[in-house]
């Protein structure tokens, strides 16, 4: 680090990032898709598209709808499956000089364990991010992440089978996200990330049909940012493990809101579809902000929110 450059490094439990900006799962492919557009090594890290044990075709089209200040997606977690990822995608990712975080999801608690076991001992993976927003077939399709006990059991199962830092990605589609955050912390998670998409729908009024073939989808983009920010604020005050924040971050000023609220790092999702350079622009903006504010380290910003009462 040269003396006049602010230090952007952050620690997420055992994981050290060169800066606090990660690309969010499902919005950045397996990284390779963006390699000709941006310098991937400048990122804090890449979270790859959610992986299941077997390849998944996902939902039928239409799978994406634009909404005011956001988008609804019902991709259905389409992905190439663990084996093809390890054979075809990981060797390329291993050559990068940035953190590679593998996002996983299962249809049962055992499948989460099997995925973690399949990644055990594999080099070039910095951490596992566990998506608990998907349907649990053993509980009639209810999302794992809506129940604190089930969320804890998924976390335990991943940790039992893993040799990597485990980040649990929380669903916002719950009454009180703090109860889930506390449950996964107690189960041993090294960190939590939030938020995943908010469930919603859109209707074609001429045809009187849902705009998405799946009927409902996940809302992302700037429309969800205030909700995401408040959830991050709440979770930061409820757990002792590091929190990674995201939801609707489009520029460095948005990212700063999450960092000031106490997030140790941020994830940039939908913004990648609008501007493939969004994450790099955010890193540049954070660096300049620190310099302008005469801060030597981004850590001086993290959790620096001033509130007049504890309950606000
Ligand atoms: C098209 C699309 C696909 C996504 N796929 C995944 C996924 O596979 N796993 C996951 O945990 N989150 C997935 N997400 C959620 C994002 O990672 C992110 O948490 C969410 O979109 C909120 O951030 P944003 O508003 O910056 O996009 C997906 C989001 C979008 C828009």
């Amino acid at each position: 680090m040269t003396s006049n450059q602010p230090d952007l490094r952050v620690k997420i439990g055992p994981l050290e990032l060169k800066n606090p900006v990660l690309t969010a799962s499902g919005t950045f492919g397996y990284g390779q898709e963006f390699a000709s557009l941006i310098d991937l090594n400048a990122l804090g890290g890449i979270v790859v598209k959610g992986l299941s044990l077997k390849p998944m075709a996902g939902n039928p089209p239409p799978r994406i709808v634009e909404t005011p200040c956001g988008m609804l997606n019902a991709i259905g977690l389409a992905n190439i499956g663990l084996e093809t990822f390890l054979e075809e995608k990981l060797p390329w990712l291993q050559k990068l000089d940035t953190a590679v975080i593998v996002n996983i999801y299962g249809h049962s608690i055992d499948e989460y364990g099997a995925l973690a076991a399949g990644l055990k001992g594999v080099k070039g993976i910095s951490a596992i991010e566990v998506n608990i927003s998907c349907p649990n077939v053993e509980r009639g399709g209810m999302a794992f992440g809506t129940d604190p006990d089930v969320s804890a059991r998924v976390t335990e199962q991943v940790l039992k089978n893993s040799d990597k830092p485990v980040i649990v990605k929380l669903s916002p589609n719950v009454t009180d996200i703090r109860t889930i955050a506390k449950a996964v912390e107690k189960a041993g998670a090294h960190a939590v990330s939030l938020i995943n998409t908010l469930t919603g729908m859109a209707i074609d009024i001429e045809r009187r049909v849902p705009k998405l073939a799946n009927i409902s989808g996940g809302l992302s983009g700037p429309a969800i940012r205030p909700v995401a920010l408040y959830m991050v604020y709440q979770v930061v005050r409820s757990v002792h493990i590091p929190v990674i924040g995201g939801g609707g971050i489009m520029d460095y000023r948005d990212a700063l809101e999450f960092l000031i609220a106490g997030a140790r790092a941020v994830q940039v999702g939908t913004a990648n579809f609008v501007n493939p350079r969004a994450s790099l622009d955010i890193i540049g903006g954070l660096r300049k902000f620190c310099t302008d504010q005469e801060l030597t380290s981004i850590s001086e910003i993290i959790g620096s929110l001033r509130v007049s009462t504890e309950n606000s």
Side-chain angles (χ1 to χ4, degrees):
M1 236 351 87
T2 56
S3 55
N4 54 357
Q5 284 283 327
D7 184 357
L8 294 187
R9 288 173 301 172
V10 290
K11 282 195 88 175
I12 310 291
L15 172 68
E16 191 168 314
L17 304 176
K18 60 170 86 169
N19 65 62
V21 181
L22 305 166
T23 56
S25 178
T27 65
F28 209 71
Y30 301 97
Q32 222 166 348
E33 296 85 340
F34 284 75
S36 62
L37 301 169
I38 68 166
D39 175 12
L40 298 176
N41 292 334
L43 294 168
I46 297 170
V47 186
V48 300
K49 173 74 196 155
L51 281 181
S52 49
L53 211 47
K54 299 274 172 259
M56 293 283 296
N59 291 323
R63 309 205 284 191
I64 288 190
V65 176
E66 215 175 307
T67 59
C69 297
M71 61 185 260
L72 276 169
N73 92 81
I75 305 293
L77 297 164
N79 79 98
I80 58 178
L82 179 66
E83 204 179 303
T84 309
F85 171 76
L86 293 176
E87 278 167 19
E88 294 177 14
K89 302 291 178 187
L90 189 63
W92 186 87
L93 285 164
Q94 281 166 333
K95 294 190 198 121
L96 295 179
D97 178 25
T98 190
V100 173
I101 300 173
V102 175
N103 179 291
I104 59 167
Y105 78 94
H107 301 90
S108 64
I109 293 178
D110 283 349
E111 191 176 337
Y112 279 99
L115 277 155
L119 296 167
K120 197 171 181 177
V122 178
K123 297 267 172 298
I125 298 174
S126 314
I128 295 180
E129 183 180 62
V130 187
N131 177 7
I132 55 171
S133 295
C134 40
N136 178 359
V137 292
E138 287 155 357
R139 288 249 184 132
M142 204 174 104
F144 294 92
T146 57
D147 180 312
D149 295 332
V150 178
S151 303
R153 277 170 49 216
V154 170
T155 308
E156 280 160 11
Q157 190 69 8
V158 172
L159 282 161
K160 204 168 84 183
N161 288 284
S162 178
D163 55 355
K164 303 188 169 39
V166 172
I167 304 161
V168 179
K169 183 168 181 181
L170 306 180
S171 167
N173 302 311
V174 292
T175 309
D176 186 349
I177 199 163
R178 292 171 296 188
T179 59
I180 313 288
K182 283 187 207 158
V184 303
E185 175 184 50
K186 195 156 171 252
H190 296 97
V192 286
S193 57
L194 61 142
I195 60 171
N196 212 315
T197 53
L198 281 154
T199 306
M201 79 181 286
I203 292 176
D204 177 333
I205 57 165
E206 269 76 37
R207 294 171 52 232
R208 302 188 194 184
V209 294
K211 286 189 178 173
L212 291 168
N214 187 56
I215 303 173
S216 67
L219 183 65
S220 64
I224 72 169
R225 190 168 59 241
V227 177
L229 186 62
Y230 185 52
M231 287 188 172
V232 166
Y233 169 84
Q234 288 181 300
V235 169
V236 162
R237 272 148 191 79
S238 313
V239 297
H240 298 100
I241 51 177
V243 174
I244 302 173
I249 295 178
M250 303 305 277
D251 61 27
Y252 80 94
R253 299 181 67 88
D254 301 338
L256 278 166
E257 287 195 59
F258 283 84
L259 296 173
I260 291 169
R264 203 78 68 84
V266 293
Q267 294 191 350
V268 178
T270 301
N272 296 308
F273 298 126
V274 184
N275 168 20
R277 287 192 53 85
S279 305
L280 292 195
D281 292 348
I282 290 169
I283 296 163
L286 292 178
R287 189 173 286 123
K288 183 167 182 317
F289 184 83
C290 288
T291 307
D292 292 350
Q293 300 260 322
E294 296 179 3
L295 305 174
T296 53
S297 165
I298 193 86
S299 59
E300 293 173 59
I301 288 173
I302 294 167
S304 61
L305 182 71
R306 299 182 192 134
V307 279
S308 51
T309 70
E310 237 338 279
N311 295 326
S312 20

